[in-house]
Amino acid sequence: PQGSLRAVRLTRAIKESAVLPTTQRVRRREEFQAAFRGKRAGGPLLAVHVAPEPAPGRAASDSPTSSQEASDMSVDARVRVGFVVSKAVGGAVVRNTVKRRLRHLMAARTSRLVPGSLVVVRANPAAAGASSAALGAALDGVLDRIARRDAVTS
């Protein structure tokens, strides 16, 4: 029986931390290139590139007008994340599955990074057969290495 949406509990809102909003995703080529010029750490499953400086094209001259300031200033300070999953990882279904897993994992980890930074997560071919737990552990390890390098150079 179909029943109402409330009876099947489909009306619950998804927690914001569970989904990486599109406003926090890197989509432009210039932003990917800026992240690739930043710091890099990698492992057998993935590599992460981090550029702490603001993205090109988002300079102070592009600051929001006074009517937009309250809502847009927090958007500019967010960590923005992009994903690269090449055909070497697998077919379209496999690539999209890996991207979905990585998006979900990064949504919970953006608070560990410097606000306003650009991050690109690049999946290696071994990521295709890895579980979400293995990808999460690899991501934690890589982010920890980047944080340790920042602490040493600061």
Side-chain angles (χ1 to χ4, degrees):
Q2 290 186 352
S4 70
L5 292 179
R6 186 173 190 166
V8 207
R9 298 178 188 236
L10 295 177
T11 56
R12 277 194 189 162
I14 297 174
K15 291 181 183 178
E16 287 195 28
S17 63
V19 177
L20 188 67
T22 56
T23 57
Q24 284 187 260
R25 295 188 199 158
V26 173
R27 296 196 183 267
R28 294 177 39 222
R29 181 175 191 227
E30 297 83 19
E31 293 169 336
F32 276 97
Q33 289 174 336
F36 285 134
R37 284 190 295 270
K39 296 180 179 170
R40 178 198 174 278
L45 296 179
L46 49 88
V48 176
H49 303 262
V50 178
E53 63 272 356
R58 289 184 165 234
S61 61
D62 294 339
S63 62
T65 61
S66 59
S67 63
Q68 297 174 327
E69 281 183 30
S71 63
D72 289 349
M73 290 305 281
S74 61
V75 171
D76 289 340
R78 291 181 180 170
V79 173
R80 301 187 63 232
V81 185
F83 301 93
V84 176
V85 184
S86 73
K87 287 186 179 180
V89 173
V93 173
V94 173
R95 290 194 314 268
N96 287 327
T97 300
V98 170
K99 274 191 279 191
R100 278 194 301 273
R101 286 179 177 173
L102 290 173
R103 262 197 317 266
H104 176 74
L105 292 168
M106 275 305 296
R109 290 163 173 80
T110 55
S111 62
R112 297 172 55 179
L113 298 163
V114 178
S117 61
L118 292 175
V119 179
V120 172
V121 179
R122 184 173 42 88
N124 292 335
S131 67
S132 290
L135 285 173
L139 195 54
D140 287 336
V142 170
L143 291 174
D144 287 343
R145 267 187 276 154
I146 290 175
R148 278 196 306 267
R149 286 181 193 164
D150 283 347
V152 170
T153 58
S154 301

